[in-house]
Amino acid sequence: MDRHIRFDALHNFRDLGGHTTTDGHRVRPGRLYRTDSLSKLTQGTPDWSRFLSLGVHTVIDLRYPWEIESRGRVPDHPSFTYHNLSIEHRPYNQAALTPDVDPARYLAERYMEVAQDGTKEIRSALELVAEAAESDTPLVFHCASGKDRTGLLAALILGLLGVPEPTIIKDFTLTELAAPALLADWKAHNNGHTPTWPAFGRAPEATMRLFLTALTDRYGSVEGYVSDALSLNPASLSTTLRRRLLENNPGNPQE
């Protein structure tokens, strides 16, 4: 299935539904969305109507407060609640990196920092995902480009749902389809300059593979991370998510 949902202003909005789990179920479409910044939406536009038509009840913004002050946030609307959970605590400037920096290893190391620094916010985000699942209402989470912070949270959610690691990695790499548009956005906000880092906006599969390997080496599994770092009950959380967000697989959909 084509997970990308077309918007004029958003380039990386996609449905986490349709992924098949190790036990043969699949993630329900139309319940979990990941995207680049919803601050790009403007009320009264076709994009805004398209977003509202998805029935989203919960928006999780993973950006820093200073990013929101600078670039704005999703417009208010009575149909959804908005939560700012800044999971990253050590800012870094990808655009200014030098060409010799290996993207996969560098980003995987930053993801581990986020996983270790942002435990309070990641815990809250997973609790909101569980609440949305229980109420059977759609939820969307995002950062700036919908790649790094968003990719980390998506990997944890898919892992708890029982989606196999190769599929989690493949979902991460779908941002590659949006990379040219994300780069164009960055240039437009930076007087046409080009990032010094050639890998800016890219999502190489080795990034997520190295991150998941590091997470497993440190905590044993995604469930071990949820238990040891987040102080949540992984069995209870996983049961809630799987009960509400999985469905029988109606065949073998194209991934």
Side-chain angles (χ1 to χ4, degrees):
M1 63 178 283
D2 183 0
R3 293 187 176 80
H4 282 84
I5 299 175
R6 270 56 179 178
F7 289 87
D8 293 327
L10 302 174
H11 313 302
N12 204 15
F13 195 113
R14 59 186 193 263
D15 194 335
L16 282 179
H19 288 309
T20 302
T21 64
T22 55
D23 64 0
H25 290 82
R26 78 168 188 175
V27 182
R28 292 175 60 194
R31 286 296 173 267
L32 289 173
Y33 300 101
R34 53 175 294 174
T35 182
D36 45 329
S37 178
L38 293 178
S39 65
K40 302 174 186 177
L41 293 177
T42 302
Q43 290 176 309
T45 63
D47 271 1
W48 183 241
S49 298
R50 189 173 297 114
F51 175 70
L52 294 180
S53 73
L54 298 176
V56 169
H57 280 220
T58 307
V59 173
I60 302 176
D61 187 340
L62 302 174
R63 295 175 300 158
Y64 288 99
W66 57 262
E67 290 178 275
I68 297 168
E69 292 174 9
S70 172
R71 295 292 177 86
R73 47 151 284 189
V74 64
D76 284 317
H77 195 271
S79 65
F80 61 79
T81 59
Y82 170 84
H83 306 266
N84 177 214
L85 297 171
S86 180
I87 66 174
E88 185 180 287
H89 292 203
R90 290 182 250 184
Y92 58 101
N93 186 358
Q94 292 187 34
L97 295 173
T98 53
D100 61 300
V101 175
D102 175 64
R105 190 166 302 280
Y106 178 84
L107 291 174
E109 290 173 354
R110 301 293 78 73
Y111 294 3
M112 275 301 294
E113 288 178 354
V114 173
Q116 292 166 335
D117 294 345
T119 53
K120 177 182 176 182
E121 294 84 2
I122 294 171
R123 174 189 173 114
S124 295
L126 289 177
E127 289 174 335
L128 286 171
V129 171
E131 290 173 13
E134 286 280 28
S135 63
D136 199 24
T137 56
L139 174 148
V140 60
F141 55 98
H142 74 88
C143 53
S145 65
K147 176 172 73 79
D148 301 314
R149 290 164 287 187
T150 297
L152 186 157
L153 183 57
L156 295 177
I157 294 169
L158 292 175
L160 289 167
L161 285 169
V163 173
E165 185 172 304
T167 304
I168 295 174
I169 294 170
K170 185 174 181 179
D171 179 80
F172 172 77
T173 63
L174 288 176
T175 291
E176 287 280 329
L177 299 175
L182 295 172
L183 177 59
D185 274 2
W186 188 92
K187 289 182 177 180
H189 283 99
N190 289 273
N191 300 314
H193 295 305
T194 298
T196 59
W197 199 37
F200 179 83
R202 302 295 302 273
E205 65 87 21
T207 301
M208 183 54 64
R209 176 169 47 79
L210 288 172
F211 166 65
L212 292 174
T213 297
L215 194 77
T216 300
D217 287 346
R218 185 173 181 86
Y219 298 101
S221 62
V222 169
E223 290 80 7
Y225 168 74
V226 168
S227 174
D228 297 348
L230 306 185
S231 299
L232 287 172
N233 183 325
S236 175
L237 178 59
S238 180
T239 297
T240 297
L241 296 180
R242 295 184 189 205
R243 177 167 50 86
R244 304 298 296 185
L245 295 177
L246 297 184
E247 63 184 7
N248 291 329
N249 194 336
N252 293 304
Q254 292 289 327
E255 285 294 332

